Structure formats: structure tokens, C-alpha cells
Amino acid sequence: MPPRNRYSRTAIGLHWLLALLIAGAFGMGLYVAGLPISPWRLRLMNWHKWAGVTILALSLLRLAWRLRHAPPPLPEPVLRAMPPWQRRLHQGTMAALYLLFFAVPLLGWAYSSAMGFPVVWMGMLPLPDFVAPDEAFAKSVLLPLHRGGAYLLATLVVVHVAGVLKHRWIDHADLLVRMWPGGKEGMQ
């Protein structure tokens, strides 16, 4: 694929790094939610928070990069294969993903602050409290919003991947190569 039809190395690196971090944070969040209070749970919760802060910072970097470097246009075969409703779904999914890249970590940070648990990134950098302590608000509003946002993010990731696979296997237009490190060589 010609270089102009591929994302930049920076965009590709940020995409896959965030994908790994988001999958890891989501899995860790699911696992930790079922654990009883213990030193192990507290350690995992800290790792979950560190991942969330890292996701937030990298999302800021990714958005700044995206605003200065337009993504390559969709290939003509993909545009021909996409009815208008699929284009709108694609645009809406991408917009919602970017919104959730910020909302989910911020809601987690707000929840932690409201519960009175500080966020200390990597155990070294204490972050300010995002909201005043209020356990009832944390449990009744912030935690459900954080969880719901995380589930919605996971659902949209599945929709995103399904769209890429649909274009590859049904439309025979390989969009994955645009975002895959190393291009087609990296997929073999």
C-alpha cells in the first residue's frame, strides 16, 4: 500500500499502545472488581489507576497528533462498499471512542478521589483530587458511570474490529494494513 494511504508511524504506535493498555485496564478492572479487600487487590487497583492515567495522557497525545495530521482517506473500494449508514456508523464510532478514551479514565479518577483514595501515578507522582470526597456520590454516580463507560468502550472496540474484519473478508478491502506496524509484511 502506498505510504500516503497508511497512517504515520506515530499514529500506528499510539493506536496499538492504547489498544493494549485499554484491553489490559479493562481486564484488570473486571478481575479486581471480584476480589475481596486485600493487599493484592490494592496493588492491582493501583496498577489499574496507573494504566488509566497513562491512557488519559496518551489519548491527549494521540488527539493532538490527529488534529495536526489528518488520517489517510478511506480507499475507494471501501467507500464504494459503504452505504451512507455505514459511513455514519464509522464516524460516530470513532467520535465515541475518542470521547470514551478521556471520559472513562476521568470518571475513574473522579471515583477514586470521591472515595478518598489518592491517585499516585507509578507510585511516584501524586495527582490532585479530581472531586471532593463523597462516598455516596462515588458509589451511586461515579462508579456506575465509570463501569458503564468502560463497557461501552469495550463494545465500541468490538464494533470497530468487526468493521475492519468486514471490510477485509467481505469487501476484500484490507483496511488493517493501513494501521498494522510494518504494513503487509507485518501481517504474514
Side-chain angles (χ1 to χ4, degrees):
M1 180 167 280
R4 73 182 193 289
N5 291 332
R6 286 181 45 79
Y7 284 84
S8 68
R9 287 182 185 166
T10 301
I12 291 169
L14 287 170
H15 175 274
W16 290 107
L17 182 56
L18 279 165
L20 290 171
L21 283 169
I22 289 168
F26 183 74
M28 192 178 307
L30 289 175
Y31 177 68
V32 167
L35 292 178
I37 297 289
S38 68
W40 176 241
R41 180 180 182 181
L42 296 176
R43 177 178 291 165
L44 290 177
M45 277 307 300
N46 280 326
W47 293 350
H48 180 76
K49 291 183 208 181
W50 299 347
V53 171
T54 304
I55 289 165
L56 185 59
L58 289 174
S59 294
L60 282 169
L61 181 61
R62 183 177 183 183
L63 180 61
W65 182 264
R66 176 86 182 249
L67 291 174
R68 293 183 138 301
H69 302 84
L74 288 171
E76 190 58 37
V78 172
L79 289 174
R80 281 194 308 267
M82 290 176 76
W85 71 267
Q86 283 184 6
R87 289 186 194 145
R88 286 191 300 276
L89 180 63
H90 164 73
Q91 293 165 343
T93 299
M94 295 311 297
L97 283 169
Y98 270 89
L99 175 70
L100 291 166
F101 292 160
F102 294 96
V104 173
L106 288 172
L107 286 164
W109 184 356
Y111 168 73
S112 190
S113 296
M115 287 296 293
F117 301 125
V119 177
V120 183
W121 187 69
M122 299 296 196
M124 298 181 287
L125 180 64
L127 300 178
D129 284 335
F130 199 77
V131 297
D134 183 341
E135 188 175 334
F137 179 66
K139 289 180 177 178
S140 65
V141 175
L142 295 173
L143 182 59
L145 285 174
H146 177 64
R147 281 186 180 155
Y151 281 111
L152 180 57
L153 178 56
T155 301
L156 290 176
V157 165
V158 170
V159 169
H160 177 63
V161 170
V164 170
L165 296 176
K166 178 253 188 205
H167 288 297
R168 180 177 180 141
W169 290 328
I170 295 173
D171 302 332
H172 306 289
D174 197 358
L175 288 181
L176 185 58
V177 72
R178 294 164 23 110
M179 189 55 86
W180 197 262
K184 280 194 187 269
E185 303 81 43
M187 293 176 58
Q188 296 174 358

